[in-house]
Amino acid sequence: MIKTKKELSTGAPAIVVLAAGKGTRMRSDMPKVLHKVAGEAMLAHVVRAAAALEPQRIVVVAGPGMEDVAAAARQAGATDVVIQPERLGTGDALKAALPVLQGCTGRVLVFCGDAPLVTAETLGMLLARTAGSAVAVLGMEPENPAGYGRLKCDANGMPQAIVEEKDASEEERAIRLCNSGVMAIEAVHLPTLLGALNNKNAKGEYYLTDVVAIARESGLRCGVAVAAAAEELLGVNSKAELAAAEAAMQARLRARAMEAGVSMMDPASVFLSADTRFGRDVTIQPQVFFGPGVTVGERTEIRAFSHIEGATIGADCIVGPFARLRPGTVMQGDNKIGNFVEIKNTMLEEGAQASHLSYLGDATIGARTNIGAGTITCNYDGKNKFRTSIGEDVFIGSNAALIAPVTIGNGALVAAGSTITQDVPPGDMAIARQRQINKTRRKKAG
Ligand code: UD1
Ligand code: MG
């Protein structure tokens, strides 16, 4: 990210991501921040946005027993994971991070693990525009403010208090400016401000949002910056909101892909993951799903109704319609994978193709080799998996069963309908099927 001069002068912040909430409204056994958007936990999106600011620390606050949250946080790049012993509110959650924030200077940027669309640009914008404020709030004006805290400002437009919806009067609920959940607080004031919180409110929680009113009462400067797009700060508290975040993220990823030179005939029906990567001039037909870990090379065409995950697809390939590429698929380039072909943990060297109705698992397919319709690599004996190795320029006839472990040499030919249990030497033809017998039928009398 390119930082403006002003941002640089404010210094890198320390970052705290709040992620200890139960997420009761999700009605799920899984911690809220692990629910996925574009194939990745919400927490991972948020931590990545944080990391782009090159902060002093990235502290994630998790709940007791949330080992999976801690692991996801570390994997995404968090420097520290702290535990909030009891879920007593967002203010109490930030308190749990105080010990690891000792020694941090400048400002502490706090936001929620349940707002996966937040970008480093917007976080940087808040820091840049509110330099010098002891407490700064990123405001937003969502179309539907229901559920968000309302940001009350004075005549000069400076924040006075944040009122949570449950505690708000009719008049306060009419305020359009909401708390996005992103705040920047000067590290030196943090212990005092948090120490002054109480839980006398509708939820009986220690609200982090109360630090605004407390700071004002102590004569500290409070600032606000309003996010250009409220959608970016959508907080996910329910499955419906998770779906809304997904839709917004998909729109963002599709726009980014098209910007990079991908053609989509019906963008709204193409589902991408946060890490899907495309070369130029890739074409994607309608109804295609990209799970995590997919790279698609230049000029490759992905035809309708294909399901692809964990696959590296080279340049100039044709995939689908109705293809299924599972993790470990590597296509070197110039490959053709047609309808109803499933591929898993298999390398297709340049020019290899399987045009119809096949399962290729745990295999290597040599350059220019043709896999006939209905070919199956029988890779599993009920207990273990075995590899099938097929050389270059091989022709596998239709409906062949290749019982692994087995090796087919370069230039070999496997006759249609064969069940291959032994290696085939290079250049040989293998036929493994019963010889056909034609029997003369008794002619009808007359
Ligand atoms: C919070 C804000 C609200 C803001 C909204 C933006 C407060 C009191 N309210 O409301 O003003 O408009 O976010 O989305 O801050 N968490 C903990 N420990 C806790 C409670 C929560 O770590 O004890 C974490 C949750 O995991 C979550 C975040 O804090 O990631 C926010 O909690 P949540 O319950 O979603 O707050 P909201 O009601 O959305
Ligand atoms: Mg929330």
Side-chain angles (χ1 to χ4, degrees), residues 24-378:
T24 320
R25 290 166 278 177
M26 295 295 276
R27 311 233 185 284
S28 167
D29 294 332
M30 184 163 76
K32 175 165 73 175
V33 295
L34 295 185
H35 284 269
K36 288 180 177 176
V37 168
E40 233 177 40
M42 291 198 277
L43 184 63
H45 288 278
V46 171
V47 171
R48 218 188 10 243
L53 295 176
E54 294 171 14
Q56 301 170 50
R57 315 198 75 86
I58 303 175
V59 186
V60 171
V61 182
M66 289 186 174
E67 280 82 18
D68 37 4
V69 171
R74 289 215 175 81
Q75 204 190 352
T79 54
D80 307 85
V81 178
V82 297
I83 303 298
Q84 179 191 15
E86 269 187 278
R87 292 169 187 118
L88 301 177
T90 49
D92 180 71
L94 184 54
K95 249 186 230 171
L98 281 178
V100 293
L101 291 173
Q102 274 175 9
C104 287
T105 53
R107 300 209 281 172
V108 177
L109 189 60
V110 189
F111 46 93
C112 307
D114 67 352
L117 293 149
V118 72
T119 62
E121 284 74 14
T122 298
L123 297 171
M125 183 277 286
L126 171 70
L127 292 174
R129 293 222 192 131
T130 60
S133 295
V135 174
V137 182
L138 181 65
M140 60 174 182
E141 292 185 339
E143 245 169 66
N144 175 13
Y148 292 113
R150 307 297 202 276
L151 191 48
K152 290 174 79 171
C153 294
D154 62 18
N156 300 320
M158 289 297 142
Q160 270 179 314
I162 296 171
V163 189
E164 288 306 299
E165 185 164 86
K166 282 197 174 160
D167 301 283
S169 65
E170 195 80 1
E171 255 168 68
E172 286 165 336
R173 278 184 201 202
I175 298 173
R176 297 230 25 236
L177 188 61
C178 293
N179 169 29
S180 68
V182 184
M183 292 175 104
I185 305 170
E186 282 179 343
V188 282
H189 298 298
L190 203 52
T192 330
L193 290 171
L194 293 180
L197 294 177
N198 67 54
N199 63 354
K200 292 184 194 121
N201 51 52
K203 280 173 117 180
E205 288 186 356
Y206 294 88
Y207 291 161
L208 172 60
T209 45
D210 285 346
V211 297
V212 173
I214 296 166
R216 284 295 294 250
E217 279 158 26
S218 351
L220 293 172
R221 189 164 148 193
C222 292
V224 60
V226 181
E231 174 203 78
E232 197 188 294
L233 294 144
L234 183 103
V236 172
N237 300 304
S238 64
K239 294 279 170 70
E241 285 166 349
L242 182 68
E246 182 72 68
M249 184 67 85
Q250 288 300 328
R252 183 189 287 177
L253 294 172
R254 290 177 198 125
R256 202 182 285 166
M258 289 187 278
E259 181 107 341
V262 174
S263 303
M264 295 189 189
M265 296 159 83
D266 179 19
S269 74
V270 174
F271 184 99
L272 302 169
S273 283
D275 63 353
T276 312
R277 296 285 169 268
F278 296 108
R280 282 161 75 99
D281 290 315
V282 166
T283 301
I284 305 171
Q285 291 187 355
Q287 308 289 348
V288 176
F289 175 93
F290 293 94
V294 177
T295 304
V296 183
E298 293 183 2
R299 297 173 299 281
T300 282
E301 183 175 340
I302 311 288
R303 295 187 174 164
F305 299 101
S306 293
H307 188 284
I308 303 170
E309 51 190 332
T312 304
I313 305 170
D316 301 300
C317 295
I318 295 175
V319 175
F322 298 98
R324 176 157 188 223
L325 305 185
R326 292 171 51 200
T329 297
V330 178
M331 293 162 57
Q332 284 189 340
D334 212 12
N335 304 105
K336 182 165 183 270
I337 298 304
N339 40 235
F340 308 109
V341 174
E342 175 181 347
I343 304 183
K344 183 215 77 169
N345 194 23
T346 287
M347 151 81 91
L348 286 106
E349 290 174 5
E350 210 156 303
Q353 51 181 340
S355 297
H356 340 259
L357 301 157
S358 276
Y359 171 65
L360 304 173
D362 303 312
T364 305
I365 320 285
R368 300 169 301 280
T369 282
N370 183 74
I371 304 290
T375 297
I376 306 288
T377 53
C378 308

